[in-house]
Amino acid sequence: MGSYKDIIFEKKPPIAWVTFNRPDKLNAISSTLIEELDDVLNTLWDDDEIRVLIITGTGDRAFCAGADITMFQGQKPDSMFHIIRKIVEVTQKMEKFPKPIVAAINGFALGGGCEIAISCDFRLASDKAAFGQPEIMLGLIPGAGGTQRLARLIGLGRAKELCMLGGRIPAAEAHRIGLANMVFPADKFKEEVQNFANRLAEGPPVALKMAKYACNFGTQVPLDVGLVLESGVFGILFGTEDMVEGTSAFLEKRKAKFTGK
Ligand code: COA
């Protein structure tokens, strides 16, 4: 679908797929790739046909090997500031996107690739995947949320190991420390990702959105405030048809059919 250059966009309701598609560069991030991802998020924002977005990489070598290092050469500090801000803005848009986003990490998730993955709601990894923030080896630091989101996700100590030593960790270790939610054998990976996304797509869309927001934003404020936010959202869900359907289905011992209303 669409006429994108650095990504492939496919709508297979209720699921949409974005595949980073720069195989010669291990799906490294270009400005075009980021603009195209941004465009897909805008396109799908209010699209009720789509309940889950999956982001993955072309081929079996890489999810995304980070920012395209060739674009670093000759950059002035101010222009790089604007380039990195655009990437950060897209990762923030992913956190606000009203549907679950699943990163299907089929290979290297390095640098900006790891940062995009940790901006998704779930990280499913192939057993051939590897994670890392190698920017330190370039005389840099992660610039699209690595030092911030990793520290919040896996703790300060482990985040510093990744950001300050620049090493790579395999999928099993990423799973052990909570960076990957699940790991699947490479030959069954796509099928397992699809199954996981189907499960999410059967869920109640408004409650899923509210759970995502409560987790993402309620944890950025003091606990007292986050708990009030959670109570408020819990109350709001009593105005949805899906809440009536979910509770009725439980009492009638049948599977709920959620419509998103
Ligand atoms: N930017 C630009 N090009 C990249 C790239 C990146 N981040 N990552 C990989 N590529 C390119 C390589 O230059 C190479 O291109 P070439 O065939 O024209 O020489 C091609 O992708 C394949 O990569 P290669 O390094 O040959 O594969 P490998 O299996 O030996 O190593 C990696 C794979 C991922 C370990 C290695 O490519 C790497 O370290 N990449 C950079 C990761 C990084 O530092 N990311 C953070 C950037 S801020």
Coordinates of all heavy atoms in Angstrom, one line a residue, residues 23-26 28 61 65-70 72 108 110-112 134-135 138 140 168, ligand 1:
P23 N 17.4 -2.8 3.1 CA 18.2 -4.0 3.4 C 19.7 -3.9 3.2 O 20.5 -4.4 3.9 CB 17.6 -5.1 2.4 CG 16.8 -4.4 1.4 CD 16.4 -3.1 2.0
D24 N 20.1 -3.0 2.2 CA 21.5 -2.8 2.0 C 22.2 -2.2 3.1 O 23.4 -2.2 3.3 CB 21.8 -1.9 0.7 CG 21.2 -2.6 -0.5 OD1 20.9 -3.8 -0.4 OD2 21.1 -1.9 -1.5
K25 N 21.4 -1.5 4.0 CA 22.0 -0.8 5.1 C 21.4 -1.3 6.4 O 21.3 -0.6 7.4 CB 21.7 0.7 5.0 CG 22.5 1.4 3.9 CD 22.3 2.9 3.9 CE 23.1 3.5 2.8 NZ 24.4 3.9 3.2
L26 N 21.0 -2.6 6.4 CA 20.4 -3.2 7.6 C 19.3 -2.4 8.2 O 19.2 -2.2 9.4 CB 21.5 -3.5 8.6 CG 22.6 -4.5 8.1 CD1 23.6 -4.8 9.3 CD2 22.1 -5.8 7.6
A28 N 18.8 0.8 8.3 CA 19.2 2.0 9.1 C 18.2 3.1 8.8 O 17.6 3.2 7.7 CB 20.6 2.4 8.7
R61 N 18.1 -10.3 8.8 CA 19.4 -9.8 9.5 C 19.1 -8.7 10.5 O 19.8 -8.7 11.6 CB 20.4 -9.4 8.5 CG 21.0 -10.5 7.6 CD 22.3 -10.2 7.1 NE 23.3 -9.9 8.2 CZ 24.3 -9.1 8.1 NH1 24.5 -8.4 7.0 NH2 25.1 -8.9 9.1
A65 N 19.4 -1.2 12.2 CA 20.8 -1.0 12.7 C 21.1 0.4 13.2 O 22.2 0.8 13.3 CB 21.8 -1.5 11.7
G66 N 20.0 1.2 13.4 CA 20.2 2.5 14.0 C 20.2 3.6 13.0 O 19.9 3.4 11.8
A67 N 20.6 4.8 13.4 CA 20.6 5.9 12.4 C 21.6 5.6 11.3 O 22.6 4.9 11.6 CB 21.1 7.2 13.2
D68 N 21.3 6.1 10.1 CA 22.2 5.9 9.0 C 23.5 6.7 9.3 O 23.4 8.0 9.2 CB 21.5 6.3 7.7 CG 22.4 5.9 6.5 OD1 23.6 5.9 6.6 OD2 21.8 5.7 5.4
I69 N 24.6 6.1 9.6 CA 25.8 6.8 10.0 C 26.3 7.7 8.9 O 27.0 8.7 9.2 CB 26.8 5.7 10.5 CG1 26.3 5.0 11.7 CG2 28.2 6.4 10.8 CD1 27.1 3.8 12.2
T70 N 26.0 7.3 7.6 CA 26.5 8.2 6.5 C 25.9 9.6 6.6 O 26.5 10.5 6.1 CB 26.2 7.6 5.1 OG1 24.8 7.4 5.0 CG2 26.9 6.3 4.9
F72 N 25.6 11.3 9.3 CA 26.3 12.1 10.3 C 27.4 13.0 9.8 O 27.7 14.0 10.4 CB 26.9 11.1 11.4 CG 25.8 10.5 12.3 CD1 26.3 9.5 13.2 CD2 24.5 10.8 12.2 CE1 25.3 8.9 14.1 CE2 23.6 10.1 13.0 CZ 24.0 9.2 14.0
F108 N 19.1 -7.5 14.2 CA 19.7 -6.4 15.0 C 18.7 -5.3 15.3 O 18.1 -4.8 14.4 CB 20.9 -5.8 14.2 CG 22.1 -6.7 14.0 CD1 22.5 -7.0 12.7 CD2 22.8 -7.1 15.1 CE1 23.6 -7.8 12.5 CE2 24.0 -7.9 14.9 CZ 24.3 -8.3 13.6
L110 N 19.7 -2.1 17.0 CA 20.8 -1.3 17.5 C 20.6 0.2 17.4 O 19.9 0.7 16.5 CB 22.1 -1.7 16.7 CG 22.5 -3.1 16.7 CD1 23.7 -3.3 15.8 CD2 22.7 -3.7 18.1
G111 N 21.2 0.9 18.4 CA 21.1 2.4 18.4 C 19.6 2.8 18.2 O 18.8 2.4 19.0
G112 N 19.3 3.6 17.2 CA 18.0 4.1 17.0 C 17.0 3.0 16.8 O 15.8 3.1 17.0
P134 N 25.1 1.0 20.6 CA 26.6 1.1 20.3 C 27.1 2.5 20.1 O 28.3 2.7 19.7 CB 26.7 0.2 19.1 CG 25.4 0.3 18.4 CD 24.4 0.6 19.4
E135 N 26.2 3.6 20.3 CA 26.7 4.9 19.9 C 28.0 5.4 20.5 O 28.7 6.2 20.0 CB 25.6 5.9 20.3 CG 24.3 5.8 19.4 CD 23.3 4.9 20.1 OE1 23.6 4.0 20.9 OE2 22.1 5.0 19.7
L138 N 31.0 5.4 18.7 CA 31.1 6.4 17.6 C 31.5 7.7 18.3 O 31.5 8.8 17.6 CB 29.8 6.5 16.8 CG 29.3 5.3 16.1 CD1 27.9 5.6 15.6 CD2 30.2 4.9 15.0
L140 N 29.5 9.0 20.6 CA 28.2 9.6 20.8 C 27.5 8.9 22.0 O 28.0 8.0 22.6 CB 27.4 9.4 19.5 CG 27.8 10.3 18.3 CD1 27.1 9.8 17.1 CD2 27.4 11.8 18.6
R168 N 26.6 -5.7 22.6 CA 25.3 -6.2 22.1 C 24.9 -7.3 23.0 O 25.7 -8.1 23.5 CB 25.5 -6.8 20.7 CG 25.7 -5.7 19.6 CD 25.4 -6.2 18.3 NE 26.3 -7.3 17.8 CZ 27.4 -7.0 17.1 NH1 27.7 -5.8 16.8 NH2 28.1 -8.0 16.7
Ligands
COA1 N1 24.3 3.2 9.0 C1 24.7 3.1 7.8 N2 25.0 1.9 7.2 C2 24.9 0.8 8.0 C3 24.6 0.9 9.3 C4 24.2 2.1 9.9 N3 23.8 2.3 11.1 N4 24.6 -0.4 9.8 C5 25.0 -1.2 8.8 N5 25.2 -0.5 7.7 C6 25.6 -1.0 6.4 C7 27.1 -1.3 6.4 O1 27.9 -0.1 6.2 C8 27.2 -2.3 5.3 O2 27.2 -1.6 4.1 P1 28.2 -2.0 2.9 O3 27.7 -3.4 2.5 O4 27.9 -1.0 1.8 O5 29.5 -2.0 3.4 C9 25.9 -3.1 5.4 O6 25.0 -2.2 6.2 C10 26.0 -4.4 6.1 O7 26.6 -4.2 7.3 P2 28.0 -4.9 7.8 O8 28.6 -4.0 8.8 O9 28.8 -5.3 6.6 O10 27.4 -6.2 8.5 P3 28.0 -7.0 9.7 O11 27.2 -8.2 9.8 O12 29.5 -7.1 9.5 O13 27.7 -6.1 11.0 C11 26.4 -4.7 12.4 C12 26.4 -5.8 11.4 C13 25.0 -4.3 12.7 C14 27.1 -5.2 13.7 C15 27.2 -3.5 11.9 O14 26.7 -3.1 10.6 C16 27.2 -2.2 12.7 O15 27.8 -2.2 13.7 N6 26.4 -1.2 12.3 C17 26.3 0.1 13.0 C18 25.4 0.0 14.2 C19 25.5 1.3 14.9 O16 26.5 1.8 15.4 N7 24.3 1.9 15.1 C20 24.1 3.1 15.8 C21 24.2 4.3 14.9 S1 24.1 5.8 15.8

